[in-house]
Amino acid sequence: MHARNESPRTPSAPLRPWIAGMSILSFPGDDQQPFAHAPDSATALVFRTGADRRSDLLVMGPRTRASYHVGKHLPVCVKIRIRPGRARALLGVSISALTDRVVPLDELWGAYGERLAGDLARLGPDPELVLARLQAELRVHLAARTPEDLARSDLLRTAARALTTGTGHRPEQVRALAERLAISERQLRNLFTDGVGLSPKHLARIERVRSALARLGQEPRAQLAADTGYYDQSHMTAEFRALMGTPPQAFQSGRLPPIQPCKEPLGKAAAQHADKGRPKAWTALARGIPLTDGNHLEFARDRMYRRPK
C-alpha cells in the first residue's frame, strides 16, 4: 500500500493544547498505489494546490470509517489536525454538522473564509508560509473565544483524553467519566455530539483502532489486542474490520476494500458542488445574519447557532 510522504511540523506554543499535529504532505505524481484515510476523531484544516494551480481550503470533519484512495500530484498540501473537543471553539460551528464530510471553509465562515483561501493561494508554493498564516488565523480565533467557550472546550478535551487508549492508560468507562465530571451521561453525549461530532463510545472505538493500526505488525496480535484495550483478539479483529473495512491480516498484506474517488473537486467549484440546496455559509447557523468581517466571529456563539436541516 502506498505511503504518503508526510513531514511533521511543531505548532506554535499557544496552539499546542489545541493542535494534535501539523504536517506537509506530498504525493508522488506517478504513484497510483492506494492509500488509506484511517478513521479519525479529530477535525482537520487542509490547504492544497493541484497541478492546475487551483487551490482549496477545506475542513475535514471526524471520519467514522476508513476510506481508500489513489494518490494524486499536489504541489502544496498542508494539514492541521485539531484535537478532539477543540474544533468547535476554533471553527465556531457544531462539529456534528461536519462528521464524515469535507467542506470548503467558506461554507462555514462565508466571505471571510473565501478571502483567507485566496490569501493562502497567493503565498505561492511554500507550504511553510501557508502553515504560518493558518496558525496566525487560528490564534486570532482563539483570542476571541469567551470564557464559557474555553471552559466547555477544556471539559471536552479532558473527557476525550479519558476515553483514549494510551501507554499505561486504559480508557475510562463513559458512566464513570460522567460521574467524575459531575454531569449526566446524556449531557456528556450531547456535549460530544456538538463539540466532537461523535458519541463518547464511538470516539473510544476510533482511538482504539488507531492505536492498533499504529502498532500493527510490531507484536503478536493477541498481545496487541490486550495492549490497546480490546477484550481479546477476536474483539479487535471485529472492530478493525468494522472501522477499516478489512481485517488486520488482510490490511497488513495489502488486500484492501475498493478504491473510492475523491468526492471534493479542487477549486471554487467545490463549494458549488457540495450541498447545492444548502444556503451559502450555512446562514441558518447564524439565524439569517450574513457573515461579514465584523460579525464572523460572533457566528461561534451558542445563542446564534442552529443546526442545519
Side-chain angles (χ1 to χ4, degrees):
M1 185 173 64
H2 169 67
R4 298 169 293 175
N5 297 323
E6 187 166 352
S7 179
R9 295 293 186 271
T10 302
S12 60
L15 291 176
R16 286 172 197 165
W18 297 77
I19 301 300
M22 300 194 319
S23 55
I24 297 171
L25 297 93
S26 62
F27 302 80
D30 58 351
D31 192 337
Q32 294 299 302
Q33 295 301 309
F35 69 90
H37 278 312
D40 197 351
S41 58
T43 297
L45 279 175
V46 174
F47 178 80
R48 62 184 190 176
T49 300
D52 57 3
R53 298 186 180 180
R54 289 189 298 172
S55 299
D56 282 326
L57 178 55
L58 304 170
V59 180
M60 298 177 65
R63 189 167 42 251
T64 59
R65 287 178 173 80
S67 60
Y68 299 85
H69 309 275
V70 172
K72 56 186 172 183
H73 181 53
L74 295 173
V76 178
C77 187
V78 302
K79 183 176 183 179
I80 296 178
R81 291 180 68 245
I82 303 171
R83 296 186 188 278
R86 297 299 200 187
R88 195 194 197 288
L90 283 178
L91 299 179
V93 296
S94 172
I95 308 306
S96 66
L98 299 175
T99 304
D100 287 323
R101 299 186 68 222
V102 179
V103 301
L105 184 63
D106 63 26
E107 277 201 21
L108 310 183
W109 289 1
Y112 189 93
E114 192 169 350
R115 283 195 293 274
L116 176 59
D119 290 346
L120 295 174
R122 286 186 287 274
L123 290 175
D126 187 345
E128 302 288 357
L129 293 178
V130 173
L131 281 175
R133 178 71 174 85
L134 282 173
Q135 287 188 88
E137 191 64 37
L138 291 176
R139 287 194 296 269
V140 169
H141 279 254
L142 183 56
R145 298 305 92 195
T146 66
E148 292 79 10
D149 290 333
L150 297 176
R152 180 172 58 180
S153 181
D154 287 344
L155 176 67
L156 273 171
R157 183 63 201 139
T158 297
R161 278 201 308 267
L163 294 169
T164 300
T165 303
T167 304
H169 168 70
R170 290 282 185 174
E172 198 165 346
Q173 295 296 312
V174 173
R175 177 177 295 180
L177 175 60
E179 290 178 355
R180 180 165 68 83
L181 297 176
I183 59 177
S184 69
E185 287 186 65
R186 182 177 179 180
Q187 287 174 315
L188 184 62
R189 286 193 300 270
N190 289 342
L191 282 170
F192 264 75
T193 298
D194 183 55
V196 181
L198 303 164
S199 70
K201 289 185 178 179
H202 206 135
L203 177 139
R205 291 180 69 200
I206 288 173
E207 293 302 322
R208 274 198 307 267
V209 83
R210 287 178 66 88
S211 181
L213 186 62
R215 299 164 61 175
L216 193 62
Q218 299 179 16
E219 56 187 302
R221 290 197 186 95
Q223 185 62 46
L224 176 63
D227 290 346
T228 51
Y230 293 101
Y231 295 121
D232 53 29
Q233 184 177 342
S234 63
H235 180 213
M236 181 186 72
T237 299
E239 285 285 279
F240 196 99
R241 184 197 296 270
L243 272 65
M244 294 297 298
T246 189
Q249 185 173 358
F251 181 87
Q252 197 173 359
S253 64
R255 301 195 305 275
L256 305 177
I259 303 301
Q260 303 170 14
C262 289
K263 295 181 180 179
E264 70 285 356
L266 278 165
K268 192 173 181 178
Q272 300 168 353
H273 176 78
D275 293 333
K276 292 181 181 179
R278 194 185 296 271
K280 179 67 174 176
W282 293 2
T283 50
L285 289 173
R287 296 187 181 176
I289 301 172
L291 293 179
T292 66
D293 286 350
N295 72 9
H296 81 280
L297 289 178
E298 292 296 320
F299 178 46
R301 303 294 175 84
D302 290 346
R303 59 186 174 81
M304 299 177 66
Y305 173 73
R306 282 183 181 175
R307 182 176 178 180
K309 295 181 180 178

